[in-house]
Amino acid sequence: IFPRNVTEFSYRIGGNPASIFMSFQAKSDEDRQEAIDSLRSSGYDVMDLSQNELAKTHGRSLIGGRAPVELTAEEGLFSFEFPEKPGALMQFLEQLPPDFNVSLFHYRGHGADVARVLVGLQVPSKSRPHFREYLAYLVSKGYSWKEETQNDVYTRFLLTRAEVNNSRAQQGPSHPPPLTLTGSSVTEPS
């Protein structure tokens, strides 16, 4: 896709193969087709939805949904903000440590001066100190973050409901424990 501007990117863990919803800015119909052909030649199963109104109006907001509980072990949800500029999303992705599995990802360019990204990361317990170092590194580079693992939207709409005593489902999923000690790089107003 690079050097084209990615305007939206959504993914939720759910099995193989992964389904990704992505929008990008093309200079022309030929440029769009060139990008699609390049992805296909790299082995990706591409579906061009540029003329699909349902996808553009509603589908883009519904991508992902709940992930199976067996695929979300040790997952935490984080929102990140950083200065929006060409290549900023690529730089963010390149800084993700390879030992953390990305289980959810949502970015949508709004033309603002701040980029907002929502990321589900699976971080094994033994890697939590390294994860905290990674968050501190991001803050040193001008990024801010907030852990959303205990947010009701996450637990109600993005996690599969947990079984209780193998006899009946809870009214809602339990809140997973947070992965960080502080919960945010930003001081919340009191």
Side-chain angles (χ1 to χ4, degrees):
I1 294 301
F2 188 77
R4 296 165 192 91
N5 187 31
V6 173
T7 57
E8 185 164 9
F9 189 98
S10 297
Y11 162 77
R12 179 68 169 137
I13 195 169
N16 269 334
S19 290
I20 297 170
F21 185 93
M22 179 178 60
S23 301
F24 62 91
Q25 290 177 330
K27 296 176 188 168
S28 63
D29 287 342
E30 293 78 22
D31 186 45
R32 177 182 49 80
Q33 193 58 51
E34 182 182 312
I36 290 171
D37 292 344
S38 176
L39 288 167
R40 285 185 176 140
S41 69
S42 297
Y44 294 98
D45 180 19
V46 178
M47 180 185 298
D48 182 359
L49 299 173
S50 60
Q51 302 305 311
N52 186 317
E53 286 304 314
L54 179 62
K56 292 191 287 186
T57 306
H58 298 289
R60 67 186 333 147
S61 301
L62 302 172
I63 300 302
R66 289 188 173 135
V69 70
E70 64 274 7
L71 295 179
T72 57
E74 299 188 289
E75 180 183 70
L77 187 70
F78 293 84
S79 58
F80 294 93
E81 292 185 359
F82 50 90
E84 180 69 279
K85 59 186 175 191
L89 179 61
M90 175 73 84
Q91 184 179 9
F92 175 79
L93 293 171
E94 289 173 343
Q95 293 175 6
L96 285 171
D99 52 335
F100 307 149
N101 185 48
V102 176
S103 52
L104 178 147
F105 194 90
H106 183 258
Y107 164 82
R108 184 165 182 205
H110 293 282
D113 53 345
V114 175
R116 291 179 176 88
V117 177
L118 186 65
V119 184
L121 292 169
Q122 291 174 303
V123 181
S125 297
K126 66 181 183 200
S127 298
R128 302 277 164 83
H130 177 230
F131 182 64
R132 291 182 193 103
E133 290 171 7
Y134 164 69
L135 292 173
Y137 167 78
L138 288 178
V139 170
S140 76
K141 297 297 182 187
Y143 292 66
S144 63
W145 61 271
K146 180 178 180 184
E147 183 164 6
E148 303 284 1
T149 306
Q150 297 194 327
N151 187 305
D152 289 334
V153 171
Y154 174 61
T155 57
R156 181 163 305 244
F157 298 107
L158 298 172
L159 293 176
T160 301
R161 294 174 187 243
E163 295 292 323
V164 177
N165 298 331
N166 295 328
S167 60
R168 60 188 176 110
Q170 290 179 316
Q171 290 297 318
S174 62
H175 286 277
L179 298 183
T180 62
L181 299 176
T182 59
S184 177
S185 67
V186 181
T187 304
E188 298 287 334
S190 47

